Amino acid sequence: MVISLKNNSDLAYFIARMGHELRTPINAIKGFTDVLLSEAFGPLNQKQKEYLVKMTVSSDRLLEVINQILDWAKIEAGQDPLLEETVNLKILAMEVISLLEVQYSVKNIKVELLNTEELEVKGDRTKLRQVLINLLSNSIKFTPNEGKIGIGYKKTDKEALIWVEDTGIGISEKQLETLFCPFMQGPQLSTKQKGTGLGLWICKSIIELHKGYIWAESSPGSGTTIFIRLPFLIN
Ligand SMILES: Nc1ncnc2c1ncn2[C@@H]1O[C@H](COP(=O)(O)OP(=O)(O)OP(=O)(O)O)[C@@H](O)[C@H]1O
Ligand SMILES: [Mg+2]
């Protein structure tokens, strides 16, 4: 089939079609590397082990990037339709807070659920979970040890407002302008903080699929809050 790439959705369709071609070889590299590392075909010397571990780390990283781009492409190409489920925000937030416990505990960061009431929205639970995971991971990554993070939600007129706030390094006014674009990362990130720069871009895509809106407010040096408005409020 001839694919001409004229716009974003053509591009997304092209990438989504390429998914299999990209994932299969990288999974083969990972598989063979694991077999060699298991020493099933004979013992390895220290250098060989060291290089194979580096290959595993790099292929994991590559697979993560490919998966993130594919997630975006599938949504944009309309190949990942939105499920209309009843999502309890309290349960979802608690789930995500417990999922990332290891990451924030090692930094002695306190993560608090700011609400106790039940609030339900109509949306795609897996995708909304992904959004909260991305936002909480960012807050953990960009908040120094002993910091604080809160996840809150409330009912507004016809919408639900959800937010993730932190006491982290903050985001400059200039970076806020392109925050939700792919590969836009802040300056001077340490190797530990360095990701791919795709997390917020995917969040935006998922929230827009829900006909919602996502934005950030930040004071450099004292913290960031990412807000989401979701229109599909059930009650
Ligand atoms: N809570 C936050 N506090 C400070 N800076 C942030 C925060 N969230 C995002 N950023 C900035 O926005 C950039 C983009 O975030 P995004 O989640 O898209 O990418 P990433 O975290 O760098 O990589 P990825 O999520 O793909 O692993 C980050 O690199 C960082 O500079
Ligand atoms: Mg991120």
Side-chain angles (χ1 to χ4, degrees):
M1 179 193 284
V2 179
I3 301 172
S4 69
L5 304 178
K6 289 195 200 77
N7 55 39
N8 226 16
S9 74
D10 282 350
L11 176 66
Y13 181 71
F14 172 74
I15 295 173
R17 284 283 303 265
M18 265 173 64
H20 179 73
E21 316 305 327
L22 292 172
R23 262 199 278 231
T24 308
I26 192 70
N27 275 322
I29 293 171
K30 265 170 66 64
F32 286 121
T33 312
D34 287 346
V35 173
L36 289 175
L37 263 176
S38 74
E39 300 189 311
F41 297 105
L44 299 167
N45 65 37
Q46 209 42 45
K47 212 60 194 166
Q48 288 168 327
K49 272 190 201 160
E50 194 188 308
Y51 285 177
L52 284 169
V53 168
K54 283 187 177 164
M55 282 173 69
T56 308
V57 171
S58 294
S59 42
D60 280 346
R61 177 115 183 81
L62 183 57
L63 196 59
E64 199 186 303
V65 175
I66 290 170
N67 283 338
Q68 279 179 305
I69 294 177
L70 283 176
D71 283 352
W72 171 84
K74 275 196 285 179
I75 292 172
E76 296 291 321
Q79 291 180 358
D80 193 3
L82 192 74
L83 296 181
E84 290 203 9
E85 300 168 300
T86 301
V87 183
N88 181 313
L89 291 178
K90 182 178 164 188
I91 295 175
L92 190 73
M94 282 167 52
E95 208 184 304
V96 171
I97 290 174
S98 117
L99 205 68
L100 298 187
E101 194 176 346
V102 175
Q103 282 94 315
Y104 59 81
S105 307
V106 290
K107 293 183 76 177
N108 227 357
I109 291 174
K110 193 165 170 241
V111 180
E112 201 182 354
L113 181 60
L114 304 169
N115 303 71
T116 50
E117 72 270 16
E118 311 285 332
L119 184 60
E120 290 179 336
V121 292
K122 200 169 259 181
D124 190 314
R125 195 175 295 114
T126 310
K127 292 190 178 66
L128 292 177
R129 184 189 297 119
Q130 189 58 53
V131 170
L132 281 189
I133 290 174
N134 289 0
L135 298 184
L136 184 55
S137 311
N138 280 350
S139 286
I140 297 170
K141 203 155 52 158
F142 300 108
T143 297
N145 291 4
E146 323 290 332
K148 274 193 188 158
I149 299 173
I151 300 186
Y153 52 82
K154 70 178 181 195
K155 185 176 172 177
T156 63
D157 204 10
K158 283 188 192 124
E159 298 169 327
L161 181 70
I162 307 165
W163 68 95
V164 178
E165 58 183 41
D166 64 55
T167 57
I169 60 171
I171 301 169
S172 69
E173 219 168 292
K174 180 146 185 32
Q175 197 192 345
L176 280 177
E177 287 167 20
T178 54
L179 193 68
F180 295 93
C181 300
F183 304 113
M184 298 311 287
Q185 295 182 289
Q188 295 152 352
L189 293 186
S190 68
T191 325
K192 259 194 182 162
Q193 289 172 322
K194 239 187 178 357
T196 318
L198 296 176
L200 288 178
W201 177 60
I202 288 164
C203 289
K204 181 169 180 275
S205 184
I206 292 175
I207 295 304
E208 286 177 354
L209 191 67
H210 282 81
K211 305 228 179 322
Y213 187 65
I214 183 166
W215 75 100
E217 290 177 13
S218 184
S219 335
S222 56
T224 300
T225 305
I226 307 280
F227 293 95
I228 292 165
R229 271 204 323 252
L230 276 183
F232 299 125
L233 199 58
I234 290 172
N235 50 35

